[in-house]
Amino acid sequence: MTDTQQRVAMGYIKGVFGIKGWVKIAASTEYSDSLLDYPEWLLSKDGKTLSVSVEAGKVVSGELQVKFKGIEDRDRAFSLRGYTIEIPREAFAPAEEDEYYWADLVGMQVANTDGIVLGEVKNLMETGAHDVLVIEGEYGQKLIPFVSQYIENVDNDNRTITADWGLDY
């Protein structure tokens, strides 16, 4: 893998479980076991990157626990604590129609239906009901619900989003 490939942070290793090298994962995916769809993970911390292979994984009481190949004891597993889990963007399955990966939306320019640029997507938030775009730009921070009532168009090729959103909202 080259350094030019986009890598997406998908969570981090928050601790160890047991004595046989298992780690506990704080996943930042919709479903914690979604990370098990990727057999190879990149772990990064303090400018250091490790490549690991998932040997086994399970969800216990809502928490993802993973065993990596070659990590056989608690001490080796503990040394991975705090590492960020990254997956190359090209490893993602294609999004369904009218579905988007958050990683693809971040950085897009958002304009309203009058053509006024509201800013750039800096982040997204989950509210339970729907996701919300966090936009920052010349007119300050805007929080726009990512629902069809407000989002007119997402143009992946031009990295733009058109929203039915006024400057005074």
Side-chain angles (χ1 to χ4, degrees):
M1 189 177 98
T2 66
D3 288 337
T4 59
Q5 289 180 315
Q6 180 188 6
R7 300 187 315 208
V8 180
M10 306 282 276
Y12 66 92
I13 298 174
K14 65 180 186 177
V16 298
F17 178 77
I19 60 170
K20 296 187 178 187
W22 285 75
V23 293
K24 295 188 270 187
I25 306 294
S28 55
T29 54
E30 185 173 3
Y31 305 104
S32 56
D33 63 349
S34 297
L35 276 172
L36 299 177
D37 294 344
Y38 307 98
E40 304 291 324
W41 296 2
L42 294 169
L43 304 180
S44 66
K45 180 179 170 183
D46 301 329
K48 182 178 172 185
T49 301
L50 308 170
S51 181
V52 294
S53 298
V54 175
E55 183 176 306
K58 59 189 174 186
V59 176
V60 179
S61 301
E63 177 180 75
L64 181 61
Q65 298 175 358
V66 173
K67 168 84 174 64
F68 298 121
K69 291 178 185 161
I71 306 293
E72 304 300 332
D73 62 55
R74 186 177 181 90
D75 291 341
R76 289 278 317 274
F78 189 80
S79 72
L80 299 175
R81 193 168 165 265
Y83 272 80
T84 299
I85 299 159
E86 297 177 333
I87 305 294
R89 172 59 186 92
E90 18 326 308
F92 291 15
E96 298 292 320
E97 187 175 340
D98 293 329
E99 288 188 356
Y100 304 92
Y101 286 110
W102 282 18
D104 293 341
L105 297 174
V106 171
M108 283 192 173
Q109 180 176 292
V110 180
N112 68 13
T113 52
D114 295 327
I116 298 169
V117 176
L118 301 174
E120 181 179 296
V121 178
K122 293 296 182 185
N123 198 357
L124 284 95
M125 300 182 328
E126 280 184 85
T127 65
H130 51 263
D131 298 333
V132 175
L133 298 172
V134 179
I135 313 297
E136 291 185 11
E138 176 180 350
Y139 302 101
Q141 186 180 71
K142 305 269 184 210
L143 302 175
I144 303 176
F146 193 67
V147 294
S148 59
Q149 179 180 352
Y150 301 113
I151 303 301
E152 301 262 323
N153 184 46
V154 176
D155 184 341
N156 281 316
D157 295 335
N158 293 312
R159 308 244 338 114
T160 59
I161 297 172
T162 305
D164 186 4
W165 201 258
L167 287 178
D168 52 349
Y169 308 174

